[in-house]
Amino acid sequence: MLHLRMISPPTRTDEVTAVLEDCPGITNIVVLPGAAREPKGDVILCDAARESANEVIGRLKWLETEGSIAIEQIDLSLSKVAEEAVEEAPGEPDDAVIWEELAQRVSADSRITWAYLVFLAVATQIAGIGILQNSPILIVGAMVLGPEFGAVAAICFGLLQRRWGLITTSLRTLAVGFAVAIAITFACAFVSTWLGWIGDANLVTNAEVQFIVKPDKWSFIVALLAGTAGVLSITAGKSSALVGVFISVTTVPAAGYVAVALALGHWLEVGPSVGQLAVNIAGMILSGTATLAIQRRFWPQVGRRSSL
């Protein structure tokens, strides 16, 4: 269940409540006349089945400019009427995509922030150390830490909605993020070679991690599957599943390998590592966009009433 708080101009409160009463899956409607101070107006509260959110938002989109709509997740609801509302709403809660929520999320994830750069740089350095130490555990840990899928999901959403600005911003975020992460990891690896901590033998003997520099059909297939799972985990709110997506693709390890190979002068392995990085990102974008398109096509409320 979701909890909605709306502020409406008093002259349009009856219109809002009429929409809520007409939509399936809405219950616990409360009207507080004149309770809002900024912006001024009536406060309207209700609980909604997740499947009903798109219809409500679509029909009350005008509140975005004349009032406000806030939505939050209800972790526990002990109510017979709430259970009936969920049953009344079409579809299943886990299958529902709240498109406005997704739009805001990918918009935030598409921007370059200090946190994004730090996480990606740290993840790439851990991957580089894992490669040099021939440690799959460190490589997996780096994969989990990488934050790049948010920008990939933003590209998928931008392609679906033809939001070219969002696509450009997300591509820049990926490019700048990986460039910074590789540069920092390269600098650390270069200093380590100067200190004598690492050498050619550290990279040559890494038989267990050679998959990072050998992109093939399986790399692309895994990226396709990971892109589908990643988009589903975001739209359904399954954050635990997103961790599995991070572990599935070798974007961060490939970036780490590029940095280490550059520092050690293994030029012939730089190209395949970049190829592995590109294959993974391309595969995730392709399948992620296709997954969103299928969800939009077959989720019953999206095409008719959502503002998207």
Side-chain angles (χ1 to χ4, degrees):
M1 293 292 291
L2 302 172
H3 181 67
L4 282 68
R5 186 196 70 235
M6 292 156 284
I7 297 178
S8 169
T11 56
R12 305 196 68 176
T13 298
D14 289 342
E15 180 182 344
V16 174
T17 55
V19 169
L20 296 177
E21 291 170 354
D22 181 58
C23 289
I26 308 296
T27 189
N28 297 331
I29 301 173
V30 177
V31 179
L32 303 175
R37 292 294 179 266
E38 183 58 42
K40 292 184 178 181
D42 299 337
V43 175
I44 305 167
L45 310 173
C46 71
D47 295 335
R50 183 179 175 87
E51 311 93 295
S52 302
N54 285 318
E55 183 169 6
V56 172
I57 295 172
R59 296 176 65 177
L60 296 178
K61 183 68 174 175
W62 53 269
L63 277 176
E64 184 177 341
T65 55
E66 297 187 35
S68 72
I69 302 178
I71 302 177
E72 58 185 352
Q73 181 72 40
I74 298 176
D75 295 325
L76 177 63
S77 177
L78 303 176
S79 169
K80 179 64 175 178
V81 292
E83 294 177 4
E84 293 173 349
V86 172
E87 292 296 326
E88 180 186 23
E92 296 295 331
D94 284 347
D95 294 334
V97 182
I98 304 176
W99 293 95
E100 289 286 354
E101 177 188 44
L102 180 60
Q104 289 194 5
R105 177 170 182 172
V106 298
S107 178
D109 289 342
S110 70
R111 295 191 290 268
I112 299 175
T113 64
W114 286 110
Y116 168 81
L117 293 175
V118 170
F119 272 117
L120 191 54
V122 170
T124 304
Q125 289 185 75
I126 292 176
I129 294 171
I131 291 165
L132 293 169
Q133 297 299 310
N134 204 19
S135 173
I137 294 176
L138 288 178
I139 293 174
V140 170
M143 294 162 115
V144 174
L145 190 58
E148 72 280 3
F149 188 79
V152 172
I155 294 172
C156 297
F157 185 80
L159 289 171
L160 181 73
Q161 300 294 333
R162 294 181 175 83
R163 296 188 179 184
W164 311 120
L166 178 62
I167 296 172
T168 301
T169 301
S170 303
L171 288 172
R172 182 171 61 247
T173 296
L174 283 175
V176 172
F178 277 111
V180 170
I182 290 172
I184 293 174
T185 304
F186 166 78
C188 293
F190 187 81
V191 171
S192 296
T193 60
W194 182 73
L195 294 174
W197 294 355
I198 61 175
D200 290 341
N202 293 99
L203 201 61
V204 173
T205 58
N206 287 341
E208 293 186 13
V209 296
Q210 282 296 306
F211 68 93
I212 298 174
V213 290
K214 293 182 178 179
D216 54 21
K217 60 180 179 296
W218 298 113
S219 300
F220 188 66
I221 290 172
V222 169
L224 290 175
L225 296 173
T228 299
V231 167
L232 287 175
S233 66
I234 289 177
T235 56
K238 299 291 186 182
S239 58
S240 59
L242 194 57
V243 175
V245 173
F246 295 153
I247 298 174
S248 300
V249 290
T250 54
T251 48
V252 168
Y257 206 107
V258 169
V260 172
L262 286 172
L264 294 177
H266 286 232
W267 311 109
L268 293 179
E269 297 188 357
V270 173
S273 298
V274 174
Q276 180 73 274
L277 178 61
V279 163
N280 278 278
I281 291 177
M284 288 191 292
I285 290 174
L286 180 62
S287 61
T289 305
T291 301
L292 285 175
I294 292 172
Q295 288 177 301
R296 184 175 68 172
R297 171 66 179 83
F298 291 103
W299 183 250
Q301 296 171 353
V302 173
R304 293 198 305 265
R305 292 182 177 177
S306 173
S307 61
L308 296 179

